Amino acid sequence: MATETHRREMAGILAWFWNERFWLPHNVTWADLKNTDEATFPQAEDLYLACPLAFCIFMIRLVFERFIARPCAMGLKIQANGPQKAQPNAILEKVFTAITKHPDEKRLEGLSKQLDWDVRTIQRWFRQRRNQEKPSTLARFCESMWRFTFYLYIFTYGVHFLKKTPWLWNTKECWYNYPYQPLTVDIHYYYILELSFYLSLLFSQFTDIRRKDFLIMFLHHVATISLITFSYVNNMARVGTLVMCLHDAADVLIEAAKMANYAKCQILCNLLFAMFAILFISSRLGVYPVWILNTTLFESWEIVGPYPSWWVFNLLLILLQLLHSFWSYLIVKTACRAISKGKVSKDDRSDIESSSDEDDSPPPNQKHHSSATNGTNKNHGTNGYLTGAPYPDEH
């Protein structure tokens, strides 16, 4: 009896979640979008395939980084050695792991008396110990090479596929005969692969290089996955393919620039970063609102009309535009600093990776010691903006 009641409750929840009046335009039902011998339409259960594929992509990444990216990095003489290790000390290690990684001045003085070490030596120990948890340049290069390879492949595929479609040239084609637009093999492959990749990024974010924009990136990945899912389920796949292809273009350049940075090819790095900045700002603050938001907000309103999931979809797209604006601000800020210094320097988003920035500096109340404790920080040119989080992989 309890099992039957539970089944009825679950059926009620599913019926509420898949309410046709939320997901579909007026007078359209799920039955209208069932697959037939004449036409195939997107089905929500198609997306289940993305979960095992996300795991497969993650495993492919591990193999790629080990057997392809790593030899390439070694060929470019990128060292596997991480930061200098702190000398073993049980007392300091206990403080570091159990109390704080950034001891204040009072604690430093107490440790100095307990160990008979001067304060500067203890500061240096904590800095070196924090640096031990940072990935090597080799690990960062491998991660960027994997992302570069995927973005290059998926962007090339997207361009090759979309140039043959009418909606690339006339965005109103995204809405004519909507939602009765058949699902092609190309669209299905494109969607499932993109969704699988971003699911793998969402989960690997907890194991990858930790950045200070972790929560923003997490929000970004959730928004991206939600957009892909929404647009697939209610068959907004045509405009979805435009959004994905537009965003993949700049991702290719930033990962290439980061690889050049890790390989200490500063001129190439600066050139690629300049190309990335121009493409990012022009596509995200120009093409995206004029081309994408215009068709999803205005052309679709005129041809199809609004309905509940239409509002949610457009709110997600606007959220993405806000993220574009935030990252564009950081890019412009970095570019201005690079122009003033003659090279790309510190990433406002990536203190975790840089051995020359926040994490290597003593806390604010210890700044009078900084000149003596930052002597190991020599690589200001190569541990800057481009060592940061792969800038967003938005869709």
Side-chain angles (χ1 to χ4, degrees):
M1 187 66 180
T3 303
E4 184 63 27
T5 302
H6 179 70
R7 287 177 180 173
R8 289 178 180 175
E9 290 176 353
M10 287 300 298
I13 292 172
L14 289 174
W16 170 82
F17 182 81
W18 292 111
N19 189 303
E20 293 165 340
R21 297 287 58 82
F22 171 80
W23 288 97
L24 302 174
H26 185 62
N27 291 330
V28 179
T29 67
W30 292 120
D32 298 331
L33 298 177
K34 287 294 183 182
N35 293 334
T36 66
D37 294 335
E38 291 77 28
T40 299
F41 299 102
Q43 306 295 314
E45 52 267 26
D46 296 346
L47 300 179
Y48 295 153
L49 180 61
C51 292
L53 280 181
F55 176 75
C56 292
I57 287 175
F58 181 74
M59 298 306 295
I60 291 171
R61 170 189 169 176
L62 297 180
V63 173
F64 178 91
E65 290 184 358
R66 175 65 180 86
F67 296 103
I68 298 178
R70 186 181 178 88
C72 290
M74 300 301 285
L76 292 170
K77 302 188 185 310
I78 296 175
Q79 299 298 316
N81 297 333
Q84 180 182 356
K85 292 186 177 182
Q87 69 181 80
N89 186 288
I91 295 175
L92 296 181
E93 185 67 26
K94 184 176 181 179
V95 173
F96 182 88
T97 56
I99 302 176
T100 179
K101 296 181 179 181
H102 294 271
D104 57 23
E105 189 169 1
K106 182 178 179 180
R107 190 176 297 279
L108 285 170
E109 290 174 354
L111 290 170
S112 176
K113 293 177 181 178
Q114 183 177 359
L115 296 172
D116 195 24
W117 288 12
D118 61 74
V119 170
R120 293 178 179 177
T121 301
I122 296 174
Q123 284 180 320
R124 187 179 302 111
W125 188 95
F126 274 93
R127 184 180 65 254
Q128 291 174 347
R129 182 63 182 84
R130 288 192 297 269
N131 286 343
Q132 281 181 219
E133 299 186 344
K134 298 176 183 179
S136 66
T137 302
L138 177 65
R140 287 179 258 164
F141 178 91
C142 292
E143 180 183 329
S144 287
M145 188 171 178
W146 160 250
R147 293 174 187 251
F148 168 80
T149 303
F150 179 85
Y151 291 137
L152 181 61
Y153 167 74
I154 202 67
F155 175 68
T156 303
Y157 176 85
V159 170
H160 177 74
F161 151 62
L162 285 171
K163 70 181 182 180
K164 299 178 290 185
T165 64
W167 60 88
L168 176 66
W169 315 105
N170 178 12
T171 52
K172 288 185 177 181
E173 291 286 345
C174 294
W175 312 109
Y176 291 148
N177 196 39
Y178 176 83
Y180 305 107
Q181 298 164 342
L183 178 69
T184 66
V185 174
D186 286 330
I187 293 178
H188 181 262
Y189 174 78
Y190 198 17
Y191 256 81
I192 296 300
L193 191 58
E194 288 272 17
L195 179 59
S196 301
F197 180 72
Y198 284 103
L199 282 173
S200 73
L201 284 186
L202 180 67
F203 297 129
S204 65
Q205 189 181 5
F206 295 93
T207 59
D208 279 349
I209 301 161
R210 182 90 174 191
R211 285 120 180 166
K212 70 180 182 182
D213 65 344
F214 175 89
L215 290 179
I216 293 174
M217 289 299 294
F218 184 82
L219 174 64
H220 164 264
H221 292 330
V222 170
T224 299
I225 291 167
S226 300
L227 278 168
I228 293 174
T229 302
F230 255 84
S231 60
Y232 188 87
V233 168
N234 60 10
N235 204 15
M236 291 183 178
R238 290 187 176 183
V239 73
T241 58
L242 299 180
V243 176
M244 292 189 291
C245 190
L246 177 66
H247 286 77
D248 288 333
D251 293 331
V252 176
L253 287 175
I254 190 60
E255 298 302 337
K258 285 158 64 175
M259 287 192 294
N261 193 37
Y262 299 140
K264 300 185 179 179
C265 301
Q266 196 63 44
I267 294 177
L268 178 60
C269 166
N270 292 344
L271 175 62
L272 288 169
F273 177 77
M275 293 170 61
F276 157 74
I278 293 170
L279 180 59
F280 182 93
I281 293 172
S282 61
S283 62
R284 309 304 171 87
L285 301 187
V287 177
Y288 180 82
V290 172
W291 193 41
I292 300 297
L293 292 183
N294 177 65
T295 192
T296 61
L297 286 170
F298 303 111
E299 292 178 349
S300 66
W301 182 294
E302 177 185 345
I303 298 171
V304 179
Y307 51 97
S309 69
W310 179 94
W311 289 102
V312 174
F313 182 66
N314 278 287
L315 283 174
L316 288 170
L317 290 175
I318 292 171
L319 170 62
L320 207 52
Q321 182 62 71
L322 295 177
L323 291 174
H324 292 168
S325 301
F326 171 72
W327 277 306
S328 295
Y329 161 74
L330 293 183
I331 290 168
V332 170
K333 187 176 179 181
T334 301
C336 291
R337 185 186 296 115
I339 292 171
S340 66
K341 293 185 178 181
K343 61 187 176 183
V344 177
S345 59
K346 182 183 180 295
D347 181 2
D348 289 290
R349 307 169 358 173
S350 305
D351 54 333
I352 290 298
E353 293 191 29
S354 174
S355 63
S356 58
D357 297 312
E358 290 180 21
D359 212 22
D360 291 339
S361 303
N365 59 353
Q366 299 172 34
K367 285 184 178 177
H368 59 281
H369 296 299
S370 61
S371 61
T373 58
N374 285 344
T376 59
N377 305 328
K378 300 175 182 177
N379 196 2
H380 295 278
T382 58
N383 281 335
Y385 180 87
L386 299 171
T387 63
Y391 107 85
D393 330 285
E394 309 100 305
H395 288 85

